[in-house]
Amino acid sequence: MNSEVWDAVVVGAGPAGLMAARTAAEGGLRVLLLDAQPGAGGQIWRGAAAGQKGTAGDLLRDVAAHPGITVLSGAEVMAAETRERAHTLTVTTAAGLRQIHAERVILATGANERFLPFDGWTLPGVVGAGGLQAMSKGGLNVRGKRVVVAGSGPLLLAVAAGLRQKGARVLAVAEQAGLTGVAAFGMAAARLPGKSREASALAAGLLGVPYWADCAVVRASGQNQLQSVTLRRGRREIRLDCDYLAVGFGLVPETRVAALLGCALDNTGAVRVNVWQATSIQGVYAAGEVCGIGGVDGALLEGFVAGCAASGQIERLRDAPRRADLQRRFQRVLERSFALRPERLHTPLPATIVCRCEDVRHGELRGFAGWTAAKLQTRCGMGVCQGRVCGPACETLYGWRFEGARAPLVPLPLAQLLDEPTTLSPP
Amino acid sequence: MPELTLAVLTLDGRRVTVAPGTTVLAALQNAGLSPLRSSLSGEPRGALCGMGSCYECRAVVDGLLMRTCLTPARDGQNVRRLLEVAREF
Ligand SMILES: Cc1cc2nc3c(=O)[nH]c(=O)nc-3n(C[C@H](O)[C@H](O)[C@H](O)COP(=O)(O)OP(=O)(O)OC[C@H]3O[C@@H](n4cnc5c(N)ncnc54)[C@H](O)[C@@H]3O)c2cc1C
Ligand code: FES
């Protein structure tokens, strides 16, 4: 296996990782920035080009041009371990496995969408809200398509505006939180520098689209393909014929690599960090949504702090604690405003599939006390996605805490495993 | 100057032309093909996450099983859905 040593490795090339890599390289470190996606930019900036106006273009250009940074796209961390003070990441790429050693690791692995099951959610046409946004950035033609955006959180608004800009007909945005929560979030956002301009642009992009608070998805219907969505608003049920239902219930930090390195998590399931973005493991820093869901500005700030801390540029951090405090307060309002309200969400039917990989249904799962028993007896969470989809759903539905991070984090081509028989030996 | 080269790929035997920056998943969906069926019930499934975590967009790309949302479409590529591959056996 190809084995290499770097001063610092940054995992994830979203806003947090790009900023961390640039900052660490400015501090004199030789940095490897890797990401599973085919290009840099993370979830929000995927498809953005170096050279375009604004922060995304600037960062992408600086990172691509910096002699101290090497970018490795299409590279997914599948195993990670810490021994003494050295960290080793095993990465799968199209060209085979690479083993990467570094004294400093910055984790910027972002988040996954939380999906909650309802009747019909396995039909083609039912997609994640951020998922549909990602697909359209990847070339999916949504022009003229009728889309219902539903679930919870501010991402719904960004997605609705983005899809509309690409010519989709957004029929409604259905938010499970109540109006007071949404209003509280709007006020907190307006207090953050730059956010009110962003909010006005969003509002202008959504002019004429109904925004229904207190509204939940009941079911998706169709023969082999989504045809309509039923929503419940107050006591009323509303049926909308549509081509896509873009549905997501907030984001969940992607902590698998952190867990393999032994980093402690906080009680919300995010990586625990101190004011320097240092985790509980020496030499491992974390930044962005892997440390809690707070949007792109927070991710950039944390990436900067992590990059400075990892490269010893403490003098650049004078203003950071104050800005981080503002950001954390915003994060708390976000969590409170869009907290999931079980009484408002539609309870799945016994026949509703919860684990899509293994076709395990709600009726088979609700009796179990926790993951281990459910996994052993139903294979829930043991399919190819390894609980990335059903894990957060089961956490919400049944209160189980998913603690299943084990190498390999992703299925590997057999040829790679056969070439490297020792990669998966138990610790 | 933006890159204008289009890619021509084959999706289950159909020739399809796509713009630069298109993923194989988007090419499949634009052609009206949903990538996967449940291996247990045979029901059609649509790609869900668009970012590599649900694995419901898998297809065989140039002989390898890939998540098509993470795979850029390229000239000359041959894409086959698992359903089509399975029909041959
Ligand atoms: C699907 C999706 C779509 C979104 N779309 C928008 C949007 O349109 N507008 C908006 O305002 N916000 C959007 N968001 C929210 C947005 O992601 C955050 O506000 C912000 O991008 C977080 O930045 P980050 O750097 O922390 O993480 P991200 O941007 O999520 O970047 C994390 C990166 O880490 C990589 N990664 C994770 N695990 C591994 C691994 N094991 N090996 C290698 N790489 C790994 C991922 O591929 C990803 O590129 C979206 C979120 C999601 C989940
Ligand atoms: S769409 Fe989920 S992995 Fe590709």
Side-chain angles (χ1 to χ4, degrees), chain A residues 306-355:
Chain A
C308 284
S311 56
Q313 303 177 75
I314 304 304
E315 70 290 351
R316 293 180 73 184
L317 288 175
R318 228 168 294 137
D319 194 33
R322 190 188 59 81
R323 286 169 62 205
D325 191 47
L326 259 179
Q327 192 57 44
R328 257 190 298 277
R329 266 187 270 164
F330 172 68
Q331 209 165 306
R332 279 196 291 271
V333 178
L334 178 76
E335 274 162 27
R336 266 202 310 273
S337 303
F338 294 102
L340 293 180
R341 299 184 308 163
E343 79 284 4
R344 287 279 167 226
L345 299 171
H346 195 69
T347 315
L349 302 172
T352 305
I353 286 174
V354 174
C355 169

Side-chain angles (χ1 to χ4, degrees), chain A residues 6-53:
Chain A
W6 294 83
D7 294 339
V9 179
V10 180
V11 186
L18 286 164
M19 182 60 104
R22 182 176 79 180
T23 312
E26 285 164 355
L29 300 185
R30 270 179 61 251
V31 179
L32 178 69
L33 170 63
L34 59 88
D35 199 300
Q37 302 288 329
Q43 303 307 346
I44 183 167
W45 294 337
R46 65 171 65 234
Q52 80 180 37
K53 279 215 174 89

Side-chain angles (χ1 to χ4, degrees), chain A residues 10-18 34-46 72 74-79 90-91 107-115 128-135 137 154-155 158-159 162 195 198 250-252 254-257 287-300 302 388 409-410, chain B residues 49-51 70:
Chain A
V10 180
V11 186
L18 286 164
L34 59 88
D35 199 300
Q37 302 288 329
Q43 303 307 346
I44 183 167
W45 294 337
R46 65 171 65 234
L72 185 62
E76 199 158 5
V77 175
M78 69 89 168
T90 308
V91 175
L107 299 170
T109 47
N112 290 309
E113 260 187 292
R114 181 190 275 108
F115 302 108
L132 188 57
Q133 178 88 323
M135 290 173 203
K137 288 179 185 174
L155 181 59
V159 169
K195 280 281 178 210
E198 206 180 300
L251 301 175
V252 190
E254 171 51 64
T255 56
R256 279 160 221 261
V257 182
E289 303 218 302
V290 69
C291 311
I293 307 307
V296 60
D297 296 332
L300 286 168
E302 292 180 6
R388 280 174 179 78
L409 293 178
V410 287
Chain B
C49 75
M51 56 172 280
L70 293 185

Side-chain angles (χ1 to χ4, degrees), chain B residues 1-25:
Chain B
M1 194 58 183
E3 196 192 335
L4 289 175
T5 331
L6 299 170
V8 181
L9 55 153
T10 314
L11 304 177
D12 285 346
R14 281 198 231 177
R15 275 166 66 80
V16 173
T17 305
V18 300
T22 304
T23 59
V24 170
L25 174 61

Side-chain angles (χ1 to χ4, degrees), chain A residues 36-38 43 46 76 111-112 115 122 124 126-128 131 134-135 138-141 224 353 356 358-359 384-385 388-389 410-411, chain B residues 21-23 25-26 29-30 34 38-41 43-56 58 67 69-72:
Chain A
Q37 302 288 329
Q43 303 307 346
R46 65 171 65 234
E76 199 158 5
N112 290 309
F115 302 108
T122 55
V126 179
V127 285
M135 290 173 203
L140 173 70
N141 184 5
N224 292 334
I353 286 174
R356 297 165 65 112
E358 297 290 327
D359 281 10
V384 70
C385 93
R388 280 174 179 78
V389 174
V410 287
Chain B
T22 304
T23 59
L25 174 61
Q29 289 176 316
N30 288 341
S34 74
S38 154
S39 50
L40 298 161
S41 67
E43 284 171 5
R45 289 286 166 80
L48 181 72
C49 75
M51 56 172 280
S53 55
C54 76
Y55 289 77
E56 298 215 28
R58 280 164 295 156
R67 280 166 286 173
C69 67
L70 293 185
T71 312

